[in-house]
PDB file of all heavy atoms in Angstrom:
ATOM      1  N   ARG A   1     -89.609 -36.263 -64.311  1.00 53.00           N
ATOM      2  CA  ARG A   1     -88.116 -36.295 -64.177  1.00 53.00           C
ATOM      3  C   ARG A   1     -87.611 -34.882 -63.602  1.00 53.00           C
ATOM      4  O   ARG A   1     -86.572 -34.888 -62.966  1.00 53.00           O
ATOM      5  CB  ARG A   1     -87.472 -36.411 -65.532  1.00 53.00           C
ATOM      6  CG  ARG A   1     -87.557 -37.828 -66.131  1.00 53.00           C
ATOM      7  CD  ARG A   1     -86.645 -38.032 -67.253  1.00 53.00           C
ATOM      8  NE  ARG A   1     -86.782 -37.045 -68.274  1.00 53.00           N
ATOM      9  CZ  ARG A   1     -85.839 -36.698 -69.173  1.00 53.00           C
ATOM     10  NH1 ARG A   1     -84.750 -37.413 -69.191  1.00 53.00           N
ATOM     11  NH2 ARG A   1     -86.080 -35.879 -70.084  1.00 53.00           N
ATOM     12  N   ALA A   2     -88.340 -33.842 -63.815  1.00 59.00           N
ATOM     13  CA  ALA A   2     -87.989 -32.567 -63.268  1.00 59.00           C
ATOM     14  C   ALA A   2     -88.019 -32.604 -61.755  1.00 59.00           C
ATOM     15  O   ALA A   2     -87.194 -31.697 -61.154  1.00 59.00           O
ATOM     16  CB  ALA A   2     -88.975 -31.442 -63.783  1.00 59.00           C
ATOM     17  N   ALA A   3     -88.734 -33.381 -61.119  1.00 62.00           N
ATOM     18  CA  ALA A   3     -88.760 -33.506 -59.679  1.00 62.00           C
ATOM     19  C   ALA A   3     -87.360 -33.975 -59.200  1.00 62.00           C
ATOM     20  O   ALA A   3     -86.797 -33.421 -58.144  1.00 62.00           O
ATOM     21  CB  ALA A   3     -89.807 -34.415 -59.155  1.00 62.00           C
ATOM     22  N   GLN A   4     -86.786 -34.941 -59.816  1.00 63.00           N
ATOM     23  CA  GLN A   4     -85.451 -35.396 -59.473  1.00 63.00           C
ATOM     24  C   GLN A   4     -84.342 -34.315 -59.777  1.00 63.00           C
ATOM     25  O   GLN A   4     -83.453 -34.166 -58.999  1.00 63.00           O
ATOM     26  CB  GLN A   4     -85.102 -36.663 -60.278  1.00 63.00           C
ATOM     27  CG  GLN A   4     -86.083 -37.785 -60.096  1.00 63.00           C
ATOM     28  CD  GLN A   4     -86.226 -38.234 -58.664  1.00 63.00           C
ATOM     29  OE1 GLN A   4     -85.227 -38.278 -57.963  1.00 63.00           O
ATOM     30  NE2 GLN A   4     -87.390 -38.503 -58.189  1.00 63.00           N
ATOM     31  N   LEU A   5     -84.661 -33.535 -60.774  1.00 67.00           N
ATOM     32  CA  LEU A   5     -83.773 -32.420 -61.228  1.00 67.00           C
ATOM     33  C   LEU A   5     -83.715 -31.382 -60.033  1.00 67.00           C
ATOM     34  O   LEU A   5     -82.633 -30.900 -59.569  1.00 67.00           O
ATOM     35  CB  LEU A   5     -84.250 -31.727 -62.413  1.00 67.00           C
ATOM     36  CG  LEU A   5     -83.623 -30.371 -62.782  1.00 67.00           C
ATOM     37  CD1 LEU A   5     -82.091 -30.534 -62.977  1.00 67.00           C
ATOM     38  CD2 LEU A   5     -84.327 -29.797 -64.026  1.00 67.00           C
ATOM     39  N   VAL A   6     -84.889 -31.049 -59.474  1.00 70.00           N
ATOM     40  CA  VAL A   6     -84.997 -30.049 -58.390  1.00 70.00           C
ATOM     41  C   VAL A   6     -84.273 -30.584 -57.163  1.00 70.00           C
ATOM     42  O   VAL A   6     -83.592 -29.890 -56.487  1.00 70.00           O
ATOM     43  CB  VAL A   6     -86.480 -29.759 -58.080  1.00 70.00           C
ATOM     44  CG1 VAL A   6     -86.629 -28.892 -56.821  1.00 70.00           C
ATOM     45  CG2 VAL A   6     -87.104 -29.067 -59.240  1.00 70.00           C
ATOM     46  N   LYS A   7     -84.506 -31.903 -56.865  1.00 73.00           N
ATOM     47  CA  LYS A   7     -83.794 -32.425 -55.746  1.00 73.00           C
ATOM     48  C   LYS A   7     -82.259 -32.429 -55.897  1.00 73.00           C
ATOM     49  O   LYS A   7     -81.546 -32.060 -54.970  1.00 73.00           O
ATOM     50  CB  LYS A   7     -84.205 -33.887 -55.480  1.00 73.00           C
ATOM     51  CG  LYS A   7     -85.639 -34.101 -55.055  1.00 73.00           C
ATOM     52  CD  LYS A   7     -86.013 -35.564 -55.012  1.00 73.00           C
ATOM     53  CE  LYS A   7     -87.510 -35.745 -54.628  1.00 73.00           C
ATOM     54  NZ  LYS A   7     -87.842 -37.121 -54.610  1.00 73.00           N
ATOM     55  N   GLY A   8     -81.790 -32.648 -57.030  1.00 75.00           N
ATOM     56  CA  GLY A   8     -80.360 -32.614 -57.352  1.00 75.00           C
ATOM     57  C   GLY A   8     -79.806 -31.193 -57.178  1.00 75.00           C
ATOM     58  O   GLY A   8     -78.705 -31.004 -56.555  1.00 75.00           O
ATOM     59  N   ILE A   9     -80.565 -30.133 -57.657  1.00 76.00           N
ATOM     60  CA  ILE A   9     -80.058 -28.837 -57.569  1.00 76.00           C
ATOM     61  C   ILE A   9     -80.026 -28.343 -56.059  1.00 76.00           C
ATOM     62  O   ILE A   9     -79.058 -27.711 -55.624  1.00 76.00           O
ATOM     63  CB  ILE A   9     -81.085 -27.862 -58.357  1.00 76.00           C
ATOM     64  CG1 ILE A   9     -80.795 -28.130 -59.846  1.00 76.00           C
ATOM     65  CG2 ILE A   9     -80.671 -26.415 -58.038  1.00 76.00           C
ATOM     66  CD1 ILE A   9     -81.800 -27.338 -60.794  1.00 76.00           C
ATOM     67  N   LEU A  10     -81.098 -28.758 -55.311  1.00 80.00           N
ATOM     68  CA  LEU A  10     -81.095 -28.424 -53.884  1.00 80.00           C
ATOM     69  C   LEU A  10     -79.915 -29.132 -53.124  1.00 80.00           C
ATOM     70  O   LEU A  10     -79.294 -28.445 -52.256  1.00 80.00           O
ATOM     71  CB  LEU A  10     -82.425 -28.889 -53.242  1.00 80.00           C
ATOM     72  CG  LEU A  10     -83.691 -28.090 -53.701  1.00 80.00           C
ATOM     73  CD1 LEU A  10     -84.920 -28.701 -53.124  1.00 80.00           C
ATOM     74  CD2 LEU A  10     -83.537 -26.639 -53.308  1.00 80.00           C
ATOM     75  N   ALA A  11     -79.592 -30.280 -53.514  1.00 83.00           N
ATOM     76  CA  ALA A  11     -78.458 -30.999 -52.872  1.00 83.00           C
ATOM     77  C   ALA A  11     -77.132 -30.254 -53.137  1.00 83.00           C
ATOM     78  O   ALA A  11     -76.316 -30.153 -52.286  1.00 83.00           O
ATOM     79  CB  ALA A  11     -78.365 -32.470 -53.340  1.00 83.00           C
ATOM     80  N   VAL A  12     -76.921 -29.855 -54.396  1.00 81.00           N
ATOM     81  CA  VAL A  12     -75.779 -29.114 -54.772  1.00 81.00           C
ATOM     82  C   VAL A  12     -75.679 -27.762 -54.022  1.00 81.00           C
ATOM     83  O   VAL A  12     -74.573 -27.411 -53.458  1.00 81.00           O
ATOM     84  CB  VAL A  12     -75.686 -28.830 -56.309  1.00 81.00           C
ATOM     85  CG1 VAL A  12     -74.536 -27.862 -56.650  1.00 81.00           C
ATOM     86  CG2 VAL A  12     -75.607 -30.150 -57.047  1.00 81.00           C
ATOM     87  N   ILE A  13     -76.864 -27.074 -53.859  1.00 85.00           N
ATOM     88  CA  ILE A  13     -76.839 -25.843 -53.097  1.00 85.00           C
ATOM     89  C   ILE A  13     -76.490 -25.985 -51.685  1.00 85.00           C
ATOM     90  O   ILE A  13     -75.740 -25.305 -51.043  1.00 85.00           O
ATOM     91  CB  ILE A  13     -78.215 -25.179 -53.269  1.00 85.00           C
ATOM     92  CG1 ILE A  13     -78.385 -24.678 -54.719  1.00 85.00           C
ATOM     93  CG2 ILE A  13     -78.312 -23.920 -52.314  1.00 85.00           C
ATOM     94  CD1 ILE A  13     -79.795 -24.128 -54.997  1.00 85.00           C
ATOM     95  N   VAL A  14     -77.049 -27.155 -51.071  1.00 88.00           N
ATOM     96  CA  VAL A  14     -76.726 -27.417 -49.589  1.00 88.00           C
ATOM     97  C   VAL A  14     -75.235 -27.708 -49.383  1.00 88.00           C
ATOM     98  O   VAL A  14     -74.584 -27.228 -48.534  1.00 88.00           O
ATOM     99  CB  VAL A  14     -77.630 -28.656 -49.146  1.00 88.00           C
ATOM    100  CG1 VAL A  14     -77.167 -29.098 -47.797  1.00 88.00           C
ATOM    101  CG2 VAL A  14     -78.994 -28.158 -49.122  1.00 88.00           C
ATOM    102  N   ILE A  15     -74.709 -28.526 -50.324  1.00 88.00           N
ATOM    103  CA  ILE A  15     -73.288 -28.924 -50.295  1.00 88.00           C
ATOM    104  C   ILE A  15     -72.326 -27.640 -50.421  1.00 88.00           C
ATOM    105  O   ILE A  15     -71.424 -27.392 -49.683  1.00 88.00           O
ATOM    106  CB  ILE A  15     -72.874 -29.919 -51.359  1.00 88.00           C
ATOM    107  CG1 ILE A  15     -73.603 -31.288 -51.049  1.00 88.00           C
ATOM    108  CG2 ILE A  15     -71.378 -30.138 -51.376  1.00 88.00           C
ATOM    109  CD1 ILE A  15     -73.427 -32.333 -52.169  1.00 88.00           C
ATOM    110  N   TYR A  16     -72.775 -26.783 -51.344  1.00 85.00           N
ATOM    111  CA  TYR A  16     -71.992 -25.478 -51.520  1.00 85.00           C
ATOM    112  C   TYR A  16     -72.143 -24.596 -50.331  1.00 85.00           C
ATOM    113  O   TYR A  16     -71.030 -23.990 -49.923  1.00 85.00           O
ATOM    114  CB  TYR A  16     -72.629 -24.727 -52.782  1.00 85.00           C
ATOM    115  CG  TYR A  16     -72.027 -23.416 -52.907  1.00 85.00           C
ATOM    116  CD1 TYR A  16     -70.661 -23.248 -53.345  1.00 85.00           C
ATOM    117  CD2 TYR A  16     -72.825 -22.259 -52.833  1.00 85.00           C
ATOM    118  CE1 TYR A  16     -70.143 -22.044 -53.596  1.00 85.00           C
ATOM    119  CE2 TYR A  16     -72.230 -21.045 -53.039  1.00 85.00           C
ATOM    120  CZ  TYR A  16     -70.993 -20.907 -53.444  1.00 85.00           C
ATOM    121  OH  TYR A  16     -70.376 -19.652 -53.653  1.00 85.00           O
ATOM    122  N   ALA A  17     -73.270 -24.514 -49.723  1.00 88.00           N
ATOM    123  CA  ALA A  17     -73.362 -23.675 -48.487  1.00 88.00           C
ATOM    124  C   ALA A  17     -72.581 -24.205 -47.367  1.00 88.00           C
ATOM    125  O   ALA A  17     -71.883 -23.478 -46.620  1.00 88.00           O
ATOM    126  CB  ALA A  17     -74.874 -23.624 -48.114  1.00 88.00           C
ATOM    127  N   ILE A  18     -72.636 -25.570 -47.166  1.00 90.00           N
ATOM    128  CA  ILE A  18     -71.792 -26.137 -46.139  1.00 90.00           C
ATOM    129  C   ILE A  18     -70.343 -25.968 -46.332  1.00 90.00           C
ATOM    130  O   ILE A  18     -69.569 -25.607 -45.484  1.00 90.00           O
ATOM    131  CB  ILE A  18     -72.108 -27.632 -45.945  1.00 90.00           C
ATOM    132  CG1 ILE A  18     -73.580 -27.840 -45.494  1.00 90.00           C
ATOM    133  CG2 ILE A  18     -71.164 -28.303 -44.976  1.00 90.00           C
ATOM    134  CD1 ILE A  18     -74.014 -29.293 -45.500  1.00 90.00           C
ATOM    135  N   ALA A  19     -69.873 -26.144 -47.524  1.00 86.00           N
ATOM    136  CA  ALA A  19     -68.487 -25.979 -47.925  1.00 86.00           C
ATOM    137  C   ALA A  19     -68.038 -24.599 -47.719  1.00 86.00           C
ATOM    138  O   ALA A  19     -66.878 -24.346 -47.286  1.00 86.00           O
ATOM    139  CB  ALA A  19     -68.277 -26.489 -49.439  1.00 86.00           C
ATOM    140  N   GLU A  20     -68.872 -23.636 -47.965  1.00 86.00           N
ATOM    141  CA  GLU A  20     -68.558 -22.169 -47.764  1.00 86.00           C
ATOM    142  C   GLU A  20     -68.391 -21.935 -46.351  1.00 86.00           C
ATOM    143  O   GLU A  20     -67.540 -21.167 -45.899  1.00 86.00           O
ATOM    144  CB  GLU A  20     -69.599 -21.286 -48.380  1.00 86.00           C
ATOM    145  CG  GLU A  20     -69.507 -21.163 -49.935  1.00 86.00           C
ATOM    146  CD  GLU A  20     -68.361 -20.246 -50.267  1.00 86.00           C
ATOM    147  OE1 GLU A  20     -68.340 -19.165 -49.804  1.00 86.00           O
ATOM    148  OE2 GLU A  20     -67.466 -20.689 -51.122  1.00 86.00           O
ATOM    149  N   GLN A  21     -69.217 -22.508 -45.452  1.00 87.00           N
ATOM    150  CA  GLN A  21     -69.223 -22.229 -43.994  1.00 87.00           C
ATOM    151  C   GLN A  21     -67.949 -22.840 -43.335  1.00 87.00           C
ATOM    152  O   GLN A  21     -67.428 -22.165 -42.462  1.00 87.00           O
ATOM    153  CB  GLN A  21     -70.485 -22.857 -43.442  1.00 87.00           C
ATOM    154  CG  GLN A  21     -71.740 -22.042 -43.733  1.00 87.00           C
ATOM    155  CD  GLN A  21     -71.744 -20.649 -43.092  1.00 87.00           C
ATOM    156  OE1 GLN A  21     -71.301 -20.391 -42.009  1.00 87.00           O
ATOM    157  NE2 GLN A  21     -72.267 -19.687 -43.906  1.00 87.00           N
ATOM    158  N   ILE A  22     -67.570 -23.991 -43.828  1.00 88.00           N
ATOM    159  CA  ILE A  22     -66.362 -24.561 -43.108  1.00 88.00           C
ATOM    160  C   ILE A  22     -65.099 -24.429 -43.956  1.00 88.00           C
ATOM    161  O   ILE A  22     -64.119 -25.127 -43.752  1.00 88.00           O
ATOM    162  CB  ILE A  22     -66.586 -26.064 -42.854  1.00 88.00           C
ATOM    163  CG1 ILE A  22     -66.939 -26.844 -44.136  1.00 88.00           C
ATOM    164  CG2 ILE A  22     -67.801 -26.267 -41.896  1.00 88.00           C
ATOM    165  CD1 ILE A  22     -67.179 -28.316 -43.888  1.00 88.00           C
ATOM    166  N   HIS A  23     -65.160 -23.511 -45.017  1.00 84.00           N
ATOM    167  CA  HIS A  23     -63.999 -23.157 -45.773  1.00 84.00           C
ATOM    168  C   HIS A  23     -63.320 -24.236 -46.548  1.00 84.00           C
ATOM    169  O   HIS A  23     -62.117 -24.453 -46.534  1.00 84.00           O
ATOM    170  CB  HIS A  23     -62.947 -22.445 -44.792  1.00 84.00           C
ATOM    171  CG  HIS A  23     -63.535 -21.332 -44.093  1.00 84.00           C
ATOM    172  ND1 HIS A  23     -63.920 -20.136 -44.733  1.00 84.00           N
ATOM    173  CD2 HIS A  23     -63.789 -21.144 -42.824  1.00 84.00           C
ATOM    174  CE1 HIS A  23     -64.405 -19.355 -43.804  1.00 84.00           C
ATOM    175  NE2 HIS A  23     -64.373 -19.918 -42.653  1.00 84.00           N
ATOM    176  N   LEU A  24     -64.144 -25.165 -47.185  1.00 85.00           N
ATOM    177  CA  LEU A  24     -63.634 -26.143 -48.065  1.00 85.00           C
ATOM    178  C   LEU A  24     -63.512 -25.574 -49.465  1.00 85.00           C
ATOM    179  O   LEU A  24     -64.485 -25.625 -50.237  1.00 85.00           O
ATOM    180  CB  LEU A  24     -64.550 -27.376 -48.027  1.00 85.00           C
ATOM    181  CG  LEU A  24     -64.666 -28.111 -46.719  1.00 85.00           C
ATOM    182  CD1 LEU A  24     -65.678 -29.229 -46.861  1.00 85.00           C
ATOM    183  CD2 LEU A  24     -63.408 -28.676 -46.188  1.00 85.00           C
TER     184      LEU A  24
END
């Protein structure tokens, strides 16, 4: 189950980085 956890955390980090770049 931890594998799915890691994927979820990486998805949140990617969304956060994109949102920071385009000022959302």
Side-chain angles (χ1 to χ4, degrees):
R1 289 196 305 161
Q4 302 302 317
L5 167 64
V6 172
K7 292 177 183 178
I9 292 175
L10 291 176
V12 171
I13 292 173
V14 170
I15 294 172
Y16 174 66
I18 294 173
E20 283 286 307
Q21 288 295 320
I22 60 179
H23 305 292
L24 299 177

